[in-house]
Amino acid sequence: MCTLVLPSNIEYAMPYARIAITLPKDLVAAADRRAREIDRSRSRVIAEALRAYLESPPAAPPAQVREPVRPAYGSDAIGSARRAQLERDLARTPAQRLAAAEQLARLARGARPRARRPRQQIIGFDSYEDFYEWKKTDR
């Protein structure tokens, strides 16, 4: 707490806090001019301006969006189908996903012409997209 001694020797408690702010030079010059005009300190002029600003009602939000709305990723038909498939896959347990992959592998083997000797394969995929690309090829 600071005290201020006035010429009349009356002591006042100052409930003030000292802060440091950065303002544009032209704004500081305008505040200094106004302070000289009304015979006040720069701090008092700035404090009164801040009080007036804080007492005024908040400004309304802008009425319109300034940037055009961009469609969300996957909002087209293919993206929607991929998202729906992903949601279905994530709803399954890992065992169910493995069983579905094995069933699709059996289906894929049945769609190709049979070779003289059946080949044994173990196929792994890093992602559904890799599996889907593999599934689309004529194997």
Side-chain angles (χ1 to χ4, degrees), residues 11 20 26-27 53 68 70 74 77 87 93 96 103 112 114 126 128:
E11 192 169 315
D26 61 332
L27 190 58
Y53 174 78
R70 296 182 183 151
E87 289 171 354
T93 64
Q96 289 172 329
Q103 181 183 6
R112 320 186 273 240
R114 295 216 176 236
D126 292 332
Y128 177 78

Side-chain angles (χ1 to χ4, degrees), residues 13-80:
M14 291 180 53
Y16 294 105
R18 182 175 296 263
I19 64 168
I21 60 172
T22 304
L23 298 172
K25 289 182 180 181
D26 61 332
L27 190 58
V28 173
D32 287 340
R33 281 193 304 275
R34 179 61 57 93
R36 279 191 304 273
E37 289 171 5
I38 61 174
D39 196 27
R40 303 275 191 244
S41 68
R42 176 196 295 166
S43 293
R44 187 164 177 179
V45 168
I46 293 173
E48 288 173 0
L50 185 56
R51 274 191 201 98
Y53 174 78
L54 294 174
E55 289 172 359
S56 66
Q64 59 182 340
V65 177
R66 294 182 183 168
E67 293 180 3
V69 176
R70 296 182 183 151
Y73 173 77
S75 60
D76 58 347
I78 294 172
S80 297

